[in-house]
Amino acid sequence: SSQAAYDDEIHLTVGVVRGRVGGRDQLGGCSGFLAQRVSEDDELEVYVVENPSFRLPDDTDTPIVMIGAGTGIAPFRAFLQQRESQGAAGRNWLIFGNRNFHSDFLYQTEWLRYREKGLLHRVDLAFSRDQEERIYVQQRVRENGAELLRWLGQGAHLYVCGATRMGKDVHQALLDVVAEQQGVSAEGAQEFIDHLRREGRYHRDVY
């Protein structure tokens, strides 16, 4: 959540880790605690781990492309809250994936509101379990490669957030898109992505 939208609140997006150990159902230590063990009035000790490179561009006219899966959508919600509070003119594109549309389209009503208001200019979704063929965000990146490169050519910042595996798959999809659309070698595509990183326009937060 953005402090511009919720001055005295901090919103968390938590996916509960579940598994079986020794024949018993187990919950993740932190996620299970937050989702099922903590009470509403409990006080918790917290600390912040900063990622200074994963932030909105200073120029509010700059377009951004947000790619995430699962709980990786969390910072992008904050980005749109912040841009709404700033009256930002920069275009915003969300590429989001999860398992099922009806149960896993996190913050769906908020994204619809931003779309209706014209703040969210483009949305591409990938729900992997809603059809027989598994569809993931990296496929949406490949399908929209030409448009993605147009945005990058117009100065867009690119953000990737979510699981480490997803981050690797999206990175490879980006390399493939650059190689195909620009007709360059794998080395040339890597140099393009490295140039984005050096310019501070390729941001990753994977876990």
Side-chain angles (χ1 to χ4, degrees), residues 146-161:
E147 183 66 13
L148 179 57
L149 286 185
R150 274 193 289 272
W151 279 55
L152 292 174
Q154 295 164 1
H157 281 227
L158 179 64
Y159 299 86
V160 180
C161 186

Side-chain angles (χ1 to χ4, degrees), residues 80-192:
L80 267 290
Q81 291 172 353
Q82 183 72 18
R83 289 205 131 182
E84 182 178 39
S85 72
Q86 294 171 329
R91 292 179 300 152
N92 306 292
W93 179 0
L94 174 68
I95 302 176
F96 172 66
N98 215 337
R99 294 174 64 90
N100 301 105
F101 175 85
H102 290 293
S103 58
D104 301 316
F105 190 178
L106 305 179
Y107 307 111
Q108 178 185 2
T109 57
E110 294 185 41
W111 298 116
L112 290 174
R113 181 175 68 84
Y114 288 135
R115 193 84 169 103
E116 291 168 357
K117 292 185 66 173
L119 184 64
L120 184 59
H121 298 78
R122 179 163 181 159
V123 181
D124 288 279
L125 303 171
F127 292 100
S128 61
R129 304 304 197 273
D130 281 349
Q131 61 286 307
E132 185 174 348
E133 178 189 0
R134 300 288 173 88
I135 298 175
Y136 300 102
V137 288
Q138 59 266 25
Q139 290 165 258
R140 298 302 186 220
V141 169
R142 288 189 170 93
E143 292 168 1
N144 297 284
E147 183 66 13
L148 179 57
L149 286 185
R150 274 193 289 272
W151 279 55
L152 292 174
Q154 295 164 1
H157 281 227
L158 179 64
Y159 299 86
V160 180
C161 186
T164 301
R165 173 65 185 273
M166 183 277 307
K168 290 180 179 178
D169 290 341
V170 167
H171 184 81
Q172 185 59 55
L174 291 170
L175 291 172
D176 294 343
V177 162
V178 173
E180 178 183 351
Q181 295 294 325
Q182 297 190 347
V184 298
S185 65
E187 292 76 15
Q190 185 63 60
E191 174 55 33
F192 180 91

Side-chain angles (χ1 to χ4, degrees), residues 5-6 16 18 33 38 44 46 49 51 61-62 72 87 139 150 165 168 180 197:
Y6 298 95
V16 180
R18 303 177 188 276
F33 174 75
V38 68
L44 308 178
V46 300
V49 178
N51 184 348
D61 290 341
T62 302
Q139 290 165 258
R150 274 193 289 272
R165 173 65 185 273
K168 290 180 179 178
E180 178 183 351
R197 186 180 288 113

